[in-house]
Amino acid sequence: MANTILVGAQWGDEGKGKIIDVLTEDADIVVRYAGGNNAGHTVIVGGQKFVLHLIPSGILRPGKICVIGNGVVLDPIGLVSEMAGLAKLGVKVTPDNFLISETAHVVFPYHRELDGARELAKGKGKIGTTKRGIGPCYGDKAARVGLRVSDLISPERFAAKLKARVQDANAHLKGLGAKPVSYKKILADYSAAADVLRTYVANTVVYLHEATRAKRGVLFEGAQGTFLDIDHGTYPYVTSSNTTAGGACTGSGVPPHKMDKVVGVMKAYTTRVGEGPLPTENAQVSDLLHGMGREFGATTGRARRCGWFDAVATRHATMVNGIDELAVTNLDGLDTLAAIKVCTGYRVGAVKFDHLPNDIEVLALCEAVYEERPGWQVDTSKARKWKDLPPKARDYLKFIADQTSAKLAIASVGPGREQTIFV
Ligand code: GDP
Ligand code: IMO
Ligand code: MG
């Protein structure tokens, strides 16, 4: 397989987990390069549902190697529990098929407490984070005071560094009126997790260089989505990492010239969980999807906000990520509609935009300009080939791919592996 970066082209939850699982068949190695257990990637195999938070979605394919790259922020307690959950379901996670970067940063309980306390302090202006401590952990990384996996697995060094960090964090928590955390408890819990994880820890940068030199195919699993990127998203309503394609290089140590292809995953409509602008948000689409029991978050269970497909956003995502190929998921979610709207531009009064304005206050004022497409009103979930799809569904897919300025490669008509059409 060509070395492939897979990114979310919208606001997260595009169905990346499902598409990674499908593409892993042809890959040797799958690498997570950004984010932490704020991610929730759903894969359904043989009717069994798996929700992956930190472990790459390639883990469900025997014989493939999964790697947590240096760009990830890792909650060791969450990871050990995720590994145990997979073991219960019969999925093998061993040092032979799973590696953890020694330079990934570690998420601590004080990061989660600070995340919660800062959200509370923001009141109405909150971001709507997953409260997994992601922002404060990346904050410590950027401030050069964070602890990395190599610290976690070195007992003496860990005890000393943790002590200093807990003192500092507790002072911040006090300032926010939040409860302090216990150094003793964290030390005990994290030392136990370190004992489980130690044998998985490796220099993943060197490992990936040797693998690419040996022409092994690497799939880079993006987390979150383009508009949650710390630089390119709808700041400040974003996560704290580079979720876009460039993050695959910095978050894994594999250089740009080794990357062959970028695949953008997007839903046939739009969703977002958390606060911030969503120009095509629409009650009809929300009611339809929630009524079908769909679009509830895989990590926090929150109802996702839903809207029509936003081609201004996905076009922007093509530009920022260099998307070559598109995987469109959840086409079946639109099966019952007689007419489907697609946003092809934004407008503020008489001023038109065909790209996403960077200024969040301008974006918040943007009104979506729609083109209407006819619905197909046929169940697509059993289609397995392009020609099985109703002509109007094929036209819709061609239209949104055209508007996005990338080549349609995959259409997904259900959560299962088999519900995948290669175009
Ligand atoms: P991710 O974070 O990008 O991996 O996406 P999530 O797993 O959070 O959310 C995507 C949801 O859509 C999950 O419940 C998937 O099982 C589901 N899904 C993915 N593709 C399809 C599809 O084509 N049709 C249907 N009905 N569900 C899908
Ligand atoms: P996957 O990988 C959807 C959103 C949160 C919030 C903002 C910041 O499953 O697509 P954070 O906890 O990261 O500080 O929250 O980002 N968010 C996601 N939304 N899918 C995700 O991951 C997300 N990860 C974070 O809801 O708005
Ligand atoms: Mg998700």
Side-chain angles (χ1 to χ4, degrees):
M1 175 196 231
N3 293 335
T4 302
I5 304 173
L6 180 140
V7 292
Q10 295 163 321
W11 277 270
D13 301 329
E14 296 90 347
K16 299 177 293 295
K18 176 198 155 152
I19 302 298
I20 286 281
D21 169 67
V22 168
L23 296 182
T24 298
E25 190 174 6
D26 295 328
D28 298 303
I29 300 167
V30 186
V31 188
R32 261 287 298 271
Y33 61 81
N37 59 357
N38 49 348
H41 296 179
T42 315
V43 183
I44 296 184
V45 184
Q48 174 70 54
K49 179 171 167 174
F50 301 86
V51 182
L52 286 320
H53 298 287
L54 276 164
I55 301 176
S57 306
I59 199 73
L60 303 175
R61 300 258 188 194
K64 311 294 178 175
I65 312 288
C66 287
V67 177
I68 290 190
N70 56 277
V72 168
V73 289
L74 184 143
D75 180 335
I77 309 291
L79 178 57
V80 168
S81 132
E82 192 173 330
M83 288 160 72
L86 285 175
K88 263 198 198 147
L89 295 170
V91 180
K92 278 211 177 99
V93 187
T94 71
D96 288 332
N97 71 343
F98 181 49
L99 301 177
I100 301 169
S101 165
E102 55 197 2
T103 56
H105 275 249
V106 179
V107 180
F108 288 96
Y110 52 79
H111 291 133
R112 281 197 301 276
E113 295 296 328
L114 283 168
D115 194 354
R118 285 177 189 158
E119 283 282 273
L120 203 62
K122 284 196 178 100
K124 268 189 153 178
K126 71 174 185 200
I127 294 163
T129 73
T130 60
K131 301 209 176 92
R132 296 295 190 272
I134 304 301
C137 184
Y138 277 114
D140 278 359
K141 176 180 176 176
R144 297 157 292 179
V145 295
L147 269 70
R148 311 203 286 188
V149 167
S150 54
D151 299 314
L152 174 73
I153 60 168
S154 313
E156 275 178 31
R157 194 202 313 170
F158 180 62
K161 283 195 169 181
L162 178 67
K163 193 163 212 170
R165 291 312 307 143
V166 167
Q167 269 172 8
D168 183 64
N170 278 343
H172 282 101
L173 284 168
K174 198 171 163 200
L176 287 159
K179 263 195 350 230
V181 294
S182 155
Y183 165 67
K184 262 180 141 172
K185 176 156 175 41
I186 300 176
L187 183 63
D189 292 350
Y190 275 58
S191 299
D195 289 342
V196 177
L197 300 178
R198 192 169 284 109
T199 50
Y200 295 84
V201 177
N203 185 335
T204 54
V205 174
V206 171
Y207 174 81
L208 291 171
H209 273 266
E210 282 165 5
T212 52
R213 214 171 28 217
K215 303 273 183 255
R216 302 181 74 198
V218 187
L219 185 52
F220 296 84
E221 175 172 350
Q224 289 78 49
T226 298
F227 300 103
L228 293 174
D229 183 286
I230 183 82
D231 285 283
H232 302 290
T234 54
Y235 191 91
Y237 299 99
V238 293
T239 190
S240 299
S241 61
N242 282 116
T243 61
T244 45
C249 294
T250 52
S252 70
V254 178
H257 73 280
K258 294 275 187 202
M259 305 297 185
D260 300 308
K261 185 160 78 172
V262 181
V263 174
V265 185
M266 54 196 216
K267 279 177 174 147
Y269 47 88
T270 307
T271 67
R272 171 170 207 165
V273 59
E275 308 303 318
L278 189 64
T280 63
E281 190 165 16
N282 177 278
Q284 185 198 344
V285 184
S286 277
D287 291 349
L288 170 75
L289 295 164
H290 293 151
M292 293 159 84
R294 298 162 65 140
E295 301 311 343
F296 294 93
T299 295
T300 58
R302 290 177 291 176
R304 296 175 183 146
R305 298 156 64 195
C306 304
W308 300 111
F309 186 84
D310 184 343
V312 181
T314 56
R315 211 180 291 142
H316 196 101
T318 296
M319 177 176 80
V320 169
N321 294 294
I323 294 172
D324 301 298
E325 292 183 358
L326 293 176
V328 179
T329 68
N330 286 274
L331 181 72
D332 54 304
L334 303 177
D335 281 351
T336 57
L337 292 171
I340 304 171
K341 287 183 180 175
V342 175
C343 167
T344 55
Y346 294 163
R347 189 174 56 204
V348 181
V351 183
K352 287 190 181 152
F353 293 86
D354 57 7
H355 64 274
L356 223 79
N358 280 321
D359 188 326
I360 188 94
E361 292 189 17
V362 178
L363 182 59
L365 294 175
C366 280
E367 243 184 273
V369 178
Y370 291 109
E371 271 190 44
E372 198 166 280
R373 314 295 297 177
W376 43 94
Q377 298 187 289
V378 174
D379 176 9
T380 57
S381 67
K382 293 184 184 62
R384 297 293 176 266
K385 295 201 173 82
W386 181 244
K387 67 171 174 34
D388 296 341
L389 287 172
K392 283 177 185 155
R394 280 186 252 156
D395 287 347
Y396 178 76
L397 286 168
K398 280 192 249 170
F399 182 73
I400 61 175
D402 245 28
Q403 287 286 324
T404 301
S405 303
K407 191 177 123 198
L408 179 67
I410 293 174
S412 168
V413 293
R417 238 181 218 174
E418 66 293 349
Q419 291 171 298
T420 309
I421 297 168
F422 289 91
V423 181

